[in-house]
């Protein structure tokens, strides 16, 4: 899987690189996750409702991240990628539960700590 992520940059050569290209894929994966968290944090500084209604904003943000990744980034990196209903439903649920909601909850907690220190 990690070599598959790296193949977005390296193409088929990524599957020949063993641990090196798997490491690159892992780094890319974490860069994308960090960027998603940073975008939500930056937006929460302008829109306080994102941290006031953390569950709803987290669920919606998970859907937004899914849309960006699966309808914009993946087609650019993998032009032959195809959608399927079961894969898309699974991906949306994963992005909601494991990406959007945790990012929103962590940002809310961090924002509260920042407010208490001020």
């Amino acid at each position: 899987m990690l070599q598959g992520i790296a193949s977005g940059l390296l193409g088929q050569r990524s599957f020949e690189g063993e641990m090196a290209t798997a490491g690159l894929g892992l780094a890319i994966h974490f860069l994308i996750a960090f960027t998603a968290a940073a975008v939500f944090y930056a937006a929460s500084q302008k829109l306080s409702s994102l941290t006031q209604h953390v569950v709803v904003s987290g669920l919606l943000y998970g859907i937004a991240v899914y849309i960006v990744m699966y309808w914009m980034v993946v087609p650019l990196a993998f032009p032959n990628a195809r959608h399927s209903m079961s894969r898309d439903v699974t991906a949306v649920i994963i992005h909601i539960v494991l990406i959007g909601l945790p990012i929103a909850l962590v940002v809310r907690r961090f924002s509260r700590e920042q407010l208490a220190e001020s």
Side-chain angles (χ1 to χ4, degrees):
M1 182 177 101
L2 295 175
Q3 288 174 321
I5 294 170
S7 73
L9 288 178
L10 303 177
Q12 285 300 111
R13 294 180 304 151
S14 69
F15 298 102
E16 300 165 8
E18 298 180 7
M19 293 300 289
T21 54
L24 176 61
L26 184 64
I28 293 167
H29 184 74
F30 276 102
L31 175 65
I32 291 168
F34 178 79
T35 302
V39 167
F40 187 89
Y41 175 77
S44 75
Q45 298 304 295
K46 301 287 183 191
L47 303 168
S48 62
S49 63
L50 292 177
T51 54
Q52 291 171 351
H53 306 287
V54 70
V55 173
V56 172
S57 64
L59 298 176
L60 293 174
Y61 192 62
I63 294 169
V65 171
Y66 162 79
I67 290 169
V68 169
M69 289 305 301
Y70 281 79
W71 292 91
M72 295 175 188
V73 175
V74 170
L76 288 172
F78 305 101
N80 295 328
R82 300 288 174 247
H83 290 274
S84 77
M85 182 63 85
S86 63
R87 193 176 325 128
D88 286 347
V89 168
T90 301
V92 169
I93 292 169
I94 288 170
H95 279 79
I96 289 170
V97 175
L98 299 178
I99 296 172
L101 193 54
I103 287 173
L105 291 168
V106 168
V107 166
R108 179 183 68 176
R109 178 169 180 157
F110 180 75
S111 296
R112 282 186 179 174
E113 289 174 4
Q114 289 295 94
L115 293 174
E117 292 174 7
S118 299

